[in-house]
Amino acid sequence: MKGEADFIAALRAIAHHPAARMLNDDAAVLAIGSETLILTHDMIVEGVHYLPDQDPADIAWKLVATNLSDLAAKGAKPVGVLLGYMLGENDTRFLKGLRDILNTYDVPLLGGDTVSSGGASRTLGLTAIGTATSTTVPSRTAAMPGHGLYVTGRLGAAMMGFEALRNHIPNIDNTVYRRPIPRLTEGQALAPLVSSMMDISDGLLLDSWRLATASNVTLAIKSQCVPIAAPEERRYDALSWGDDYELLFTAASDTSLPVPATRIGEVKERNGAPLLLDSNPISDPAGLGYTHN
Ligand SMILES: Nc1ncnc2c1ncn2[C@@H]1O[C@H](COP(=O)(O)OP(=O)(O)O)[C@@H](O)[C@H]1O
Ligand SMILES: Cc1ncc(C[n+]2csc(CCOP(=O)(O)OP(=O)(O)O)c2C)c(N)n1
Ligand SMILES: [Mg+2]
């Protein structure tokens, strides 16, 4: 066994509950009585998800935003969060960023746990809980042949911001890298209309590959149609670096979309590879996006 994908594949043998959606989705979908809870947990690690010298207020923002993004992908309304915190050098700034994002999205802090690092690399976790807002909670498994493939926003902004921050380049906006915006309103508006939806955390191409695999379809993507926030010569990087937290979804072509989104391709019956990038079949996910090894 090696790396994230193999470990999650092994976990699938344990995660039998239908709410786990075979670990093939952004969040668990747990029906309780007449309510449907949406549950997700994401961690961030110093040096892996954020730069060691970053303002802890931004780290708090990103930790909450990346989890709310998974709720957004299921069209959920946040109910609250639980924080797993490792004490650091400026906990007051962390609390400032935490208050900022929880106030911005009106999300209560419900609890959590606090530990000291003991010298280990700093790792923070967050569990976000939401409730479904549409009767069918969008999944990754129901993309329908004939439907269009769409993305919100522009991709590559996080990559550009990261590089600017790391290399101390002024005049390049790094806000999207430091403080991503979870597409909660968009997710709720889209949820009743889409055939499938997910957020893009690991890069458009890898996450499209996952969507195609989960739905057993082929996604034909026209790379030139994807709006990017990076120089043209960085287009492939913008499509594969990740950290943009936009929504990727499929919908019937005649759907009147309630939020701005760009059609970047279409869903086809599976014929060979899960992805067709500018008509080139791609059947190996290596190099398409970010994975933990
Ligand atoms: N350590 C773990 N234990 C249980 N489930 C996990 C673990 N790591 C990942 N998963 C599950 O695997 C799936 C894919 O995870 P991931 O790619 O991190 O999703 P996302 O990008 O939406 O955060 C999700 O259903 C997630 O809940
Ligand atoms: C300091 C730093 N180096 C590299 C990256 C690039 N990076 C790290 S993790 C990641 C993808 C998202 O993280 P992941 O843990 O895979 O989130 P999930 O898919 O579980 O939501 C990206 C683009 C970064 N964000 N920060
Ligand atoms: Mg995750």
Side-chain angles (χ1 to χ4, degrees):
M1 176 171 0
K2 192 182 168 295
E4 181 186 3
D6 285 0
F7 188 70
I8 294 174
L11 286 173
R12 288 198 177 98
I14 302 170
H16 299 297
H17 197 285
R21 290 189 155 187
M22 296 190 293
L23 306 186
N24 248 333
D25 216 317
D26 300 72
V29 178
L30 183 64
I32 298 191
S34 58
E35 283 290 345
T36 301
L37 291 180
I38 313 294
L39 304 157
T40 185
H41 182 92
D42 263 315
M43 303 165 75
I44 60 177
V45 180
E46 180 176 306
V48 175
H49 296 85
Y50 64 91
L51 293 162
D53 59 358
Q54 263 184 263
D55 179 357
D58 291 342
I59 299 164
W61 180 285
K62 190 162 187 168
L63 178 63
V64 178
T66 55
N67 278 280
L68 294 184
S69 174
D70 281 328
L71 294 187
K74 303 300 103 185
K77 181 179 179 305
V79 168
V81 296
L82 301 165
L83 168 68
Y85 191 65
M86 207 179 248
L87 293 162
E89 278 177 8
N90 197 341
D91 300 324
T92 308
R93 282 297 297 167
F94 185 90
L95 291 172
K96 165 81 172 77
L98 185 63
R99 256 195 317 270
D100 282 353
I101 185 158
L102 295 180
N103 286 340
T104 300
Y105 296 103
D106 195 21
V107 181
L109 176 65
L110 301 178
D113 192 29
T114 303
V115 295
S116 64
S117 79
S121 181
R122 200 129 178 270
T123 304
L124 310 173
L126 192 101
T127 299
I129 303 164
T131 46
T133 60
S134 65
T135 39
T136 310
V137 178
S139 76
R140 292 184 188 177
T141 54
M144 280 181 53
H147 282 195
L149 178 69
Y150 301 84
V151 70
T152 61
R154 296 194 303 156
L155 306 182
M159 170 186 77
M160 296 304 292
F162 162 72
E163 291 175 1
L165 201 60
R166 183 193 55 188
N167 302 335
H168 306 287
I169 304 170
N171 308 326
I172 293 184
D173 189 9
N174 56 37
T175 323
V176 172
Y177 173 72
R178 292 182 300 104
R179 294 197 169 213
I181 305 291
R183 300 291 180 202
L184 284 162
T185 325
E186 291 87 341
Q188 287 173 34
L190 286 165
L193 305 174
V194 300
S195 49
S196 69
M197 186 155 64
M198 66 184 295
D199 78 334
I200 307 174
S201 52
D202 293 333
L204 171 74
L205 298 180
L206 181 56
D207 284 329
S208 298
W209 191 89
R210 289 176 176 148
L211 185 65
T213 306
S215 291
N216 194 29
V217 294
T218 293
L219 293 177
I221 298 179
K222 292 188 183 128
S223 64
Q224 284 299 326
C225 293
V226 182
I228 58 170
E232 186 52 38
E233 67 268 21
R234 302 290 307 279
R235 178 168 287 274
Y236 189 87
D237 296 339
L239 271 50
S240 56
W241 197 78
D243 245 4
D244 286 309
Y245 302 100
E246 295 294 347
L247 296 176
L248 177 70
F249 61 94
T250 57
S253 297
D254 60 358
T255 307
S256 166
L257 296 178
V259 300
T262 307
R263 185 175 172 124
I264 60 167
E266 63 180 308
V267 187
K268 293 173 174 292
E269 298 276 356
R270 172 64 71 82
N271 179 11
L275 276 195
L276 278 177
L277 181 61
D278 302 323
S279 305
N280 298 310
I282 298 183
S283 42
D284 181 355
L288 296 181
Y290 190 92
T291 50
H292 296 279
N293 294 305

